[in-house]
């Protein structure tokens, strides 16, 4: 079992390092610029995902709202829509799992807000619908 765990860890770290090598400031800065414009206009940034991407969405909101907000001395209205489990399960039960994010956005979002979803597959029906 230890050898399997060591192999899993080595593979995980290799994939993680490969992903970091393809992410550059050139890719991130245009997106960040849109976030800055939204903040200047007091708009909200909604972030969400499924599974591990939901965890990444929560982590991103924490880093961006707290970390970047503190760095620039501004309030950043960033919200992770996958945090309210009670609301997600109520929407999933009463409507469908496909609606868990779109229903929240219908209640909370305003024109000019940003919707930022994280996805490995890029084709989850609830993410696409939102």
């Amino acid at each position: 079992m230890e050898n399997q765990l060591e192999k899993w860890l080595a593979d995980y770290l290799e994939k993680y390092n490969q992903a970091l090598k393809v992410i550059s400031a050139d890719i991130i800065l245009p997106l960040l610029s849109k976030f800055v414009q939204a903040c200047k206009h007091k708009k909200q940034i909604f972030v969400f995902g499924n599974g591990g991407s939901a965890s990444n969405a929560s982590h991103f909101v924490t880093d961006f709202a707290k970390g970047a907000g503190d760095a620039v001395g501004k309030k950043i209205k960033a919200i992770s829509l996958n945090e309210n489990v009670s609301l997600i399960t109520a929407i999933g039960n009463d409507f469908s799992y496909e609606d868990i994010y779109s229903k929240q956005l219908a209640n909370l979002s305003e024109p000019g807000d940003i919707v930022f979803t994280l996805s490995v597959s890029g084709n989850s029906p609830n993410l696409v619908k939102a």
Side-chain angles (χ1 to χ4, degrees):
M1 184 167 165
E2 276 187 45
N3 287 341
Q4 291 172 322
L5 187 56
E6 289 174 15
K7 182 183 179 338
W8 173 85
L9 178 59
D11 290 346
Y12 182 87
L13 292 174
E14 178 60 29
K15 289 175 186 172
Y16 192 85
N17 285 324
Q18 287 175 0
L20 287 175
K21 288 177 185 174
V22 299
I23 299 171
S24 68
D26 296 352
I27 294 169
I28 297 171
L29 284 174
L31 178 62
L32 196 56
S33 177
K34 290 182 184 295
F35 288 0
V36 167
Q37 290 304 311
C39 292
K40 283 182 180 178
H41 294 96
K42 301 184 192 280
K43 299 298 179 183
Q44 298 182 99
I45 301 166
F46 297 99
V47 187
F48 50 94
N50 294 319
S53 294
S55 295
N56 290 338
S58 296
H59 192 170
F60 174 81
V61 165
T62 300
D63 286 350
F64 191 65
K66 170 72 174 76
D70 287 353
V72 298
K74 301 280 183 191
K75 292 180 184 177
I76 296 176
K77 296 180 179 185
I79 300 165
S80 174
L81 295 182
N82 43 255
E83 295 295 320
N84 191 333
V85 175
S86 298
L87 182 56
I88 288 170
T89 58
I91 293 169
N93 184 63
D94 294 349
F95 298 97
S96 76
Y97 187 75
E98 190 174 313
D99 294 323
I100 64 170
Y101 297 126
S102 61
K103 292 281 188 190
Q104 290 184 71
L105 288 169
N107 287 341
L108 299 171
S109 65
E110 298 289 336
D113 288 343
I114 291 180
V115 174
F116 182 58
T117 186
L118 304 175
S119 176
V120 173
S121 70
N123 60 9
S124 297
N126 62 342
L127 303 179
V128 172
K129 185 170 186 177

